[in-house]
């Protein structure tokens, strides 16, 4: 299973140092939470931060758009260095049209579902998605508690993907930490996003990543 740190809680005054340490610690990609103040209350960052990350690392840049009408930003994000773009099912009028645009730009397509959105809503799109992001907290903030019913959703989605013979990757985002990562891995996640557990004051990202990885190797 892969671990993508989310920079939502990173100390931006130490962006370079923190990213380099996360890379040394074995991060598999960098998760970038773009919030627009409409789909979710906070506003975060956009193209310049993606550009900066692109200049700092060769790791995949996984853009999670918590944004209404995301189509207007897709091209800029891809030019800036995005590797995959996630859009929210709940934010879209025409899911297929937006996914077409992402695919046409040559990056990986990903669809996110909020905790209250049922897995079945993703079924019409599964065959054409590189990734599904299951939110295991309400989107908008780092440091929230993992919603336990997400485990059933991961399991159900994993079965569906396997039964259909698809290769869609399951990403789980929110509340993943040393206590929850093992059950998330066992339920069938291919990628977990880990935010506040990786980027926190006084602890090096590489140390947190090592502890998280240890949890997915053993059963403790
Ligand atoms: C929340 C974001 C998450 C967030 C996760 O809306 O999508 O990516 O950074 O943070 P933690 O790991 O602290 O729950
Ligand atoms: Zn996210």
């Amino acid at each position: 299973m892969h671990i993508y740190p989310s920079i939502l809680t990173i100390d931006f005054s130490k962006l370079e140092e923190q990213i380099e340490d996360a890379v040394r610690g074995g991060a598999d990609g960098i998760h970038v939470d773009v919030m627009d103040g409409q789909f979710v209350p906070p506003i975060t960052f956009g193209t310049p931060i993606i550009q900066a990350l692109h200049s700092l690392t060769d790791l995949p840049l996984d853009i999670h758009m918590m944004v209404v009408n995301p189509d207007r930003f897709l091209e800029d994000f891809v030019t800036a260095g995005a590797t995959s773009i996630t859009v929210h099912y709940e934010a879209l009028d025409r899911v297929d049209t937006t996914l077409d645009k992402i695919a046409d730009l040559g990056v990986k397509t990903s669809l996110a579902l909020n905790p209250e959105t049922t897995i079945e809503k993703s079924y019409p799109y599964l065959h054409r998605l590189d990734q599904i992001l299951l939110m295991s907290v309400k989107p908008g903030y780092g440091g929230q508690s993992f919603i336990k019913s997400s485990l059933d959703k991961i399991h159900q989605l994993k079965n569906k993907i396997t039964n259909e013979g698809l290769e869609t990757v399951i990403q789980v985002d929110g509340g993943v930490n040393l206590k929850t990562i093992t059950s998330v891995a066992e339920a069938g996640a291919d990628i977990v996003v880990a935010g506040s557990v990786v980027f926190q004051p006084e602890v090096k990202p590489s140390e947190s990543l090592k502890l998280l990885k240890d949890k997915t190797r053993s059963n403790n």
Side-chain angles (χ1 to χ4, degrees):
M1 193 184 67
H2 285 174
I3 303 178
Y4 284 18
S6 158
I7 61 162
L8 189 60
T9 57
I10 204 167
D11 178 349
F12 277 95
S13 68
K14 298 181 186 151
L15 182 69
E16 182 169 2
E17 176 190 316
Q18 294 275 292
I19 292 295
E20 281 174 1
D21 191 68
V23 172
R24 267 196 300 278
D28 297 293
I30 303 293
H31 182 86
V32 184
D33 289 304
V34 179
M35 303 186 188
D36 67 351
Q38 289 185 65
F39 183 71
V40 287
I43 181 165
T44 57
F45 33 72
T47 308
I49 292 291
I50 300 171
Q51 273 169 345
L53 292 166
H54 189 52
S55 71
L56 293 174
T57 177
D58 293 331
L59 285 180
L61 299 180
D62 178 54
I63 316 300
H64 178 189
M65 298 185 73
M66 285 159 274
V67 171
V68 294
N69 189 11
D71 299 35
R72 60 206 155 124
F73 299 112
L74 298 174
E75 200 172 338
D76 280 356
F77 286 3
V78 171
T79 306
T83 311
S84 50
I85 296 191
T86 299
V87 286
H88 263 266
Y89 173 81
E90 304 83 5
L92 299 175
D93 293 329
R94 295 193 188 137
V95 177
D96 271 316
T97 309
T98 301
L99 294 177
D100 282 345
K101 286 184 183 156
I102 298 171
D104 286 348
L105 288 164
V107 297
K108 291 187 177 167
T109 56
S110 171
L111 187 67
L113 303 184
N114 277 343
E116 68 275 13
T117 304
T118 59
I119 291 295
E120 284 79 7
K121 301 281 190 206
S122 71
Y123 288 176
Y125 313 104
L126 268 189
H127 65 282
R128 58 165 309 175
L129 288 169
D130 294 302
Q131 173 176 285
I132 295 234
L133 186 164
L134 293 182
M135 287 301 306
S136 40
V137 298
K138 208 173 152 206
Y141 304 93
Q144 303 179 74
S145 298
F146 184 84
I147 298 171
K148 286 209 176 69
S149 56
S150 312
L151 293 174
D152 288 337
K153 289 176 81 177
I154 301 168
H155 210 75
Q156 187 189 341
L157 183 58
K158 187 71 174 185
N159 283 340
K160 175 77 177 171
I161 288 170
T162 308
N163 291 341
E164 304 268 322
L166 300 172
E167 301 202 336
T168 318
V169 161
I170 302 177
Q171 183 180 65
V172 177
D173 183 9
V176 174
N177 54 37
L178 293 171
K179 289 200 179 102
T180 55
I181 192 167
T182 309
S183 49
V184 173
E186 284 171 358
D190 301 294
I191 300 173
V192 290
V193 174
S196 53
V197 68
V198 174
F199 295 117
Q200 54 175 308
E202 313 296 335
V203 184
K204 288 173 82 174
S206 54
E207 282 165 20
S208 303
L209 281 164
K210 181 179 179 310
L211 294 174
L212 287 168
K213 281 168 180 267
D214 285 349
K215 290 280 178 192
T216 63
R217 280 193 208 105
S218 55
N219 275 329
N220 52 16

